Amino acid sequence: MTAPNERDLLAALPTGLFIGGEWTPAEGGGRLPVFDPATGELLVEIADASAADAVHALDAAVAAQESWAATPPRRRSDILRRAFDLVRERSESLALLMTLEMGKPLAEARGEVVYGGEFLRWFSEEAVRISGRYGLNPEGTGRMIVSQRPVGPCLFITPWNFPFAMATRKIAPALAAGCTVVIKPPELTPLTTLYFVQLLVEAGLPAGVVNVYTTRRSSVTSAPLIADPRLRKLSFTGSTEVGRRLLAQAADRVLRVSMELGGNAPFLVFDDADLDQAVEGAMVAKFRNIGQACTAANRFIVHESVADEFARRITARVASLKVGRGTDDGVQIGPLIDDRAVAKADELVRDAVERGASVLTGGNALTGPGTFFEPTVVAGVRPGSAILHEEIFGPVLAIATFADEDEAVRLANDTDYGLVSYAFTRDLARGHRLIDRLETGMMGLNVGVVSNAAAPFGGVKQSGIGREGGPEGIHEFLSTKYTLIPAD
Ligand code: NAD
């Protein structure tokens, strides 16, 4: 396979809205510029949809719903499977596009193509396994039939940090279940979705089943869709703050929702942990995606007897990370998404230091072009520091300490979030206790990354509602129907 060229890739990219199987300009010709965060340069301008455009996208999804729901599961499955094969064929182009618009190192973008592609394969397999139940009622007077129906047209709103996987994690199960889709990709990284929808078309997806509108007016365009009685499901991935607002809008119509929201993952290192394993786990849990993951370890909570040694080992690793444009060889840390993200990382480090923490490596924003922050370790973080309560979303590793297991659990659970937790211990009994005691939807026990298409991804508390991936994932797009008929 020849490596794609940046310029050719961008020149060939569709820049319109994809509605009812056609690429169309935005009403009024509005344009949305997309920039490379590593250089600050304009990559391309695409359509900037109005509220009327968004409603047209929903019109198309509604028009296609009945025939897509009636399409045999095997055919839906075959389309998803072909899309999976096409993703594998075009993986280099998808990865490069993601690196250009989001900044992650190319090696990580390739990893996301594999991860995101797996949802297409997984749900192509699930599409033909939607089952029901049949049985006599306890009284013997009736026969009960329980079946699963597609929910109906869905609106998806996705974040910029995983431009491919956040789209496939929603689109694949929806298509498998027989639902049609309107997707609004993030304004900062919309290009990957535009590229991907072409692969769906090439895989044989009928017109109107997936519709895409790009816009800088997220709330103005999504509000009329959420208020529209023809929309049957909202699935959102993004910040808890925006999720809360969308939930309030959805409540007016008692609209079905899935919410994949923010995190504040604790990373516990016990005194009996294999420290080498903990350091390896910490590097991925913290620095994958430049620290910009909802699953990123946000608080390293380390037993006081091993905290100095853990800090020493991790600092040596962090100090050697190579920072640069994601397309350059060997780069491990790309830019943050924008100036605001840099300012936030800077503010959190300053606040932690003012409250008594020390910077062991890094600690500063880098001068441009691009929006870079140095890979950083801050140790001795005191209770009350903002860095322990807010999502850092940057390459900053913050270490606090604990004295015993009860304190570790108390600190870990001391947050409104509950997406994922990590714990490193060689004590099996302790591991089992932690599975029960840590209030998160997911947990990595002696591992630093948990995501897998076959696993139910999602959080508890203010990290969200619902699960994506695994056998659970398709149920977010199915409604249970119970029918009773007389026994004779
Ligand atoms: P964000 O909430 O700012 O934006 C997410 C999406 O919502 C974007 O498409 C944006 O355009 C849109 N949006 C913003 N305001 C809106 C509004 N008022 N009405 C309708 N749509 C609106 O989040 P982000 O900065 O793109 O992503 C980072 C956040 O996403 C972090 O909090 C991260 O933890 C979270 N996240 C969660 C998961 C998960 O699976 N739980 C995965 C990835 C990211």
Side-chain angles (χ1 to χ4, degrees):
M1 195 190 319
T2 53
N5 163 294
E6 282 178 33
R7 197 181 310 228
D8 295 346
L9 184 61
L10 292 171
L13 203 65
T15 59
L17 312 174
F18 188 67
I19 299 179
E22 305 283 338
W23 291 98
T24 56
E27 180 197 57
R31 305 293 281 168
L32 166 68
V34 182
F35 298 96
D36 178 344
T39 61
E41 282 168 18
L42 177 72
L43 291 170
V44 66
E45 285 195 344
I46 61 170
D48 181 17
S50 67
D53 291 321
V55 172
H56 289 149
L58 180 60
D59 293 342
V62 170
Q65 178 57 52
E66 197 176 332
S67 68
W68 183 243
T71 300
R74 175 62 70 199
R75 179 154 163 66
R76 300 202 298 258
S77 166
D78 285 346
I79 292 171
L80 285 168
R81 175 65 207 211
R82 272 203 296 279
F84 168 72
D85 291 336
L86 287 168
V87 163
R88 279 209 289 206
E89 260 174 44
R90 313 284 162 79
S91 61
E92 279 303 299
S93 297
L94 266 168
L96 177 59
L97 201 54
M98 248 190 289
T99 293
L100 291 177
E101 65 175 342
M102 186 274 169
K104 69 182 75 191
L106 207 42
E108 288 196 26
R110 290 184 180 119
E112 185 178 339
V113 175
V114 172
Y115 171 57
E118 285 300 336
F119 289 95
L120 299 165
R121 175 154 66 174
W122 176 265
F123 286 108
S124 79
E125 292 156 354
E126 291 296 282
V128 290
R129 316 234 182 284
I130 300 169
S131 59
R133 215 162 76 220
Y134 172 83
L136 204 58
N137 66 6
E139 298 74 21
T141 55
R143 296 176 193 278
M144 304 164 66
I145 301 168
V146 180
S147 54
Q148 302 291 333
R149 299 290 310 148
V151 169
C154 304
L155 171 63
F156 296 160
I157 302 178
T158 52
W160 52 264
N161 58 344
F162 292 100
F164 182 57
M166 297 304 97
T168 57
R169 219 161 74 169
K170 296 185 192 301
I171 290 175
L175 298 187
C179 298
T180 60
V181 168
V182 174
I183 179 165
K184 189 213 80 67
E187 57 273 38
L188 294 170
T189 62
L191 307 182
T192 305
T193 304
L194 296 179
Y195 185 93
F196 172 56
V197 77
Q198 296 181 109
L199 301 189
L200 287 174
V201 172
E202 205 175 323
L205 195 73
V209 177
V210 172
N211 306 277
V212 186
Y213 75 86
T214 50
T215 184
R216 70 177 97 210
R217 291 163 286 184
S218 300
S219 65
V220 170
T221 49
S222 63
L225 302 198
I226 296 169
D228 192 315
R230 299 173 302 164
L231 186 78
R232 296 300 166 81
K233 164 101 196 183
L234 166 66
S235 179
F236 170 75
T237 299
S239 60
T240 295
E241 189 192 334
V242 172
R244 207 178 279 122
R245 248 181 273 164
L246 294 174
L247 275 168
Q249 292 174 30
D252 282 345
R253 285 216 302 110
V254 195
L255 183 65
R256 249 182 98 170
V257 293
S258 298
M259 291 276 146
E260 296 285 348
L261 308 178
N264 180 7
F267 187 108
L268 304 177
V269 183
F270 287 87
D271 50 356
D272 59 15
D274 175 335
L275 274 197
D276 288 332
Q277 196 182 38
V279 167
E280 283 313 316
M283 290 303 291
V284 278
K286 179 74 255 183
F287 294 100
R288 193 171 66 102
N289 221 40
I290 322 156
Q292 301 171 117
C294 51
T295 51
N298 213 56
R299 299 169 289 152
F300 287 77
I301 305 171
V302 184
H303 190 268
E304 56 198 16
S305 68
V306 294
D308 287 347
E309 181 58 14
F310 176 79
R312 192 184 62 73
R313 292 196 205 179
I314 200 88
T315 301
R317 291 285 296 276
V318 174
S320 70
L321 287 171
K322 187 174 172 191
V323 180
R325 188 171 190 235
T327 46
D328 294 347
D329 275 350
V331 163
Q332 293 156 296
I333 300 289
L336 292 185
I337 192 68
D338 58 16
D339 290 335
R340 278 195 314 165
V342 174
K344 174 152 193 208
D346 194 59
E347 218 175 277
L348 291 175
V349 171
R350 303 284 147 252
D351 172 77
V353 169
E354 272 165 30
R355 291 169 191 269
S358 27
V359 173
L360 302 186
T361 184
N364 294 300
L366 294 167
T367 44
T371 40
F372 291 90
F373 197 87
E374 287 177 310
T376 298
V377 177
V378 199
V381 176
R382 301 285 151 82
S385 304
I387 206 163
L388 300 178
H389 301 286
E390 293 178 29
E391 269 190 305
I392 303 171
F393 248 58
V396 178
L397 190 153
I399 305 175
T401 57
F402 69 88
D404 59 30
E405 188 179 310
D406 282 345
E407 187 186 14
V409 169
R410 185 179 55 73
L411 292 173
N413 290 339
D414 182 21
T415 170
D416 289 336
Y417 295 103
L419 189 59
V420 62
S421 52
Y422 305 94
F424 284 72
T425 176
R426 277 188 280 212
D427 180 339
L428 186 61
R430 192 206 305 276
H432 283 292
R433 283 197 298 276
L434 293 173
I435 293 173
D436 291 341
R437 297 183 76 191
L438 293 176
E439 298 170 347
T440 55
M442 302 177 286
M443 178 171 172
L445 188 53
N446 296 319
V447 293
V449 58
V450 296
S451 305
N452 192 297
F457 189 106
V460 298
K461 295 159 79 178
Q462 294 195 23
S463 285
I465 298 169
R467 292 294 180 272
E468 291 187 333
E472 291 83 356
I474 200 165
H475 290 286
E476 301 285 319
F477 299 98
L478 293 169
S479 298
T480 299
K481 173 124 188 208
Y482 155 60
T483 308
L484 182 68
I485 54 177
D488 46 39

